[in-house]
Amino acid sequence: MSRKVIELFYDVVSPYAWLGFEVLCRYRNVWNMELKLRPALLGRVIEASGNKSPATVPNKAQYMITDLDRLASYMNVPVRQPSHAFEVMFIKGSLSAMRFITAVAEKEKDGDHLLENVSREMWKRIWSTDQDICEPASLSEAFGLPLIVCHVDGKPQVFFGSDRFELMAHCIGFNFGTVSSIRAAFNQGRLARALNKMSRKVIELFYDVVSPYSWLGFEVLCRYRNVWNMELKLRPAFLGGIMQASGNKPPAMVPNKGLYMVKDLNRLASYMKVPLRHPSDPFEVMFNKGSLPAMRFITAVAEKEKDGDRLLENVSREVWKRIWSTDQDICEPASLSEAGLKAGLSSSEVEELLGLSKSQPIKDKLKQTTQEAIDYEAFGFPLVVCHVDGKPQVFFGSDRFELMAHCIGEKWLGPQPDKPTSNL
């Protein structure tokens, strides 16, 4: 197999970039790759792409603190929040530091040993010991850092963030589990022995069928119902209400994010074995038509079903298929009726549920569930809330399952737990 070239674009102002940097450096001699460190300026990437820092959305900023603490512990990187994070990231910035690091890169001709060490020491100053990094003592598809570009057989594959290593390994034919599983097995074994003595975990999944990432998270968690010691609670809610309440904006509103999302979803859908296909007009589907009638119908199913949630799971899946697989309508009663029939409902049940979906109690229930997600400081979907020993732990997105498993004392077996592969 030919040696792969992996480029890591980074800025020391980004703590997620530090996590990605350390993981890739650990894999230098594990994967058949040449790692190229590419110091860049995050401020310029944000400006050029029209993106906004996650820290400018209050709920995202609050989540980021918890998320970074958990990831840093799991990845064994000494990230600690600076005392004045806003000043560090937005007022002082990293221009001086990145120019210095770039000078190191240009001066060093034999390898990048010094570049790696200097970058790490800069990260430590800002994100570990809370010290200054400012005083002397073209990324056309980027919208943030870290940005990782894997060159395989002359074709670049672009990955954003520090949470795509398992998918990246799958896409380029490497084994991600070899190194991490040793640490994970030890941590999970020790944690599992303590946690499994406790009560069964309750995991809530807040979702909206307009969100394709929610579908991925939904399918994975449903597959783990009988694998993890948990009770999965499906919580249909309205994404539009979440975005309005949090002040967040859909990722597709930033052009480069929208382009990346198309590729990212295609790779994840293939990896997770979910038949996701993009609708012919995503903007029309997601922003003009929306999902309010569909989510009221699904809420009606949830309220009507008293014994388990088999029908709720099936109806949700069929509605997702219509919008994100077969490019069909989910707003008209006839469309919802067809989804309900395919999910196992009778004609009379579908008719009753369509009527119920227009009632005030169902409208209020959907608002109530959406408000519960807002109370957990949601800023998007999927939102997963794990209740362990009476304490909620909140996870956002469909890319935190390995970390989630680590935190709740369960074992992550990949997106298809009944079909483990060599890449997991």
Side-chain angles (χ1 to χ4, degrees), residues 23-65:
V23 171
L24 283 175
C25 285
R26 293 168 189 169
Y27 273 80
R28 278 185 186 268
N29 299 317
V30 178
W31 288 351
N32 179 31
M33 70 164 177
E34 176 189 356
L35 177 61
K36 292 187 175 182
L37 301 178
R38 305 294 303 277
L41 187 64
L42 178 58
R44 175 64 184 131
V45 173
I46 295 293
E47 180 184 9
S49 67
N51 195 14
K52 294 189 181 299
S53 167
T56 60
V57 178
N59 284 1
K60 271 190 178 180
Q62 191 61 42
Y63 176 79
M64 198 171 86
I65 293 172

Side-chain angles (χ1 to χ4, degrees), residues 208 210 237-245 291 370 381:
D208 185 324
V210 81
F238 184 50
L239 181 57
I242 299 295
M243 304 304 274
Q244 183 178 17
S291 62
T370 303
F381 284 158

Side-chain angles (χ1 to χ4, degrees), residues 141-299:
E141 292 186 6
F143 53 87
L145 298 178
L147 187 77
I148 303 168
V149 184
C150 302
H151 299 268
V152 183
D153 297 328
K155 297 178 181 178
Q157 293 199 47
V158 179
F159 298 85
F160 170 71
S162 58
D163 47 25
R164 288 294 189 272
F165 293 114
E166 187 177 353
L167 175 64
M168 186 193 311
H170 169 78
C171 290
I172 64 178
F174 285 154
N175 189 327
F176 183 63
T178 305
V179 173
S180 64
S181 60
I182 298 172
R183 180 183 70 251
F186 173 76
N187 289 337
Q188 289 172 348
R190 182 178 60 184
L191 196 56
R193 283 191 292 273
L195 289 176
N196 282 338
K197 294 179 181 178
M198 300 178 185
S199 59
R200 188 172 172 84
K201 294 114 181 161
V202 173
I203 296 182
E204 297 180 275
L205 171 64
F206 292 87
Y207 65 93
D208 185 324
V209 294
V210 81
S211 161
Y213 286 104
S214 290
W215 189 14
L216 300 176
F218 169 92
E219 294 295 355
V220 169
L221 283 175
C222 285
R223 292 169 189 168
Y224 272 81
R225 279 184 188 268
N226 299 317
V227 178
W228 287 351
N229 179 30
M230 70 164 177
E231 177 189 354
L232 177 62
K233 291 188 175 181
L234 301 178
R235 306 298 306 278
F238 184 50
L239 181 57
I242 299 295
M243 304 304 274
Q244 183 178 17
S246 67
N248 197 12
K249 301 289 184 187
M253 300 300 288
V254 177
N256 282 1
K257 270 191 179 180
L259 292 172
Y260 177 79
M261 197 171 89
V262 173
K263 298 174 185 176
D264 190 50
L265 281 169
N266 287 340
R267 290 187 297 215
L268 283 169
S270 173
Y271 180 48
M272 295 181 171
K273 298 300 181 195
V274 177
L276 191 152
R277 299 175 189 84
H278 297 273
S280 55
D281 191 346
F283 193 90
E284 172 74 10
V285 166
M286 299 177 72
F287 303 114
N288 290 344
K289 288 187 174 181
S291 62
L292 187 56
M295 295 316 297
R296 284 175 175 168
F297 179 71
I298 291 171
T299 299

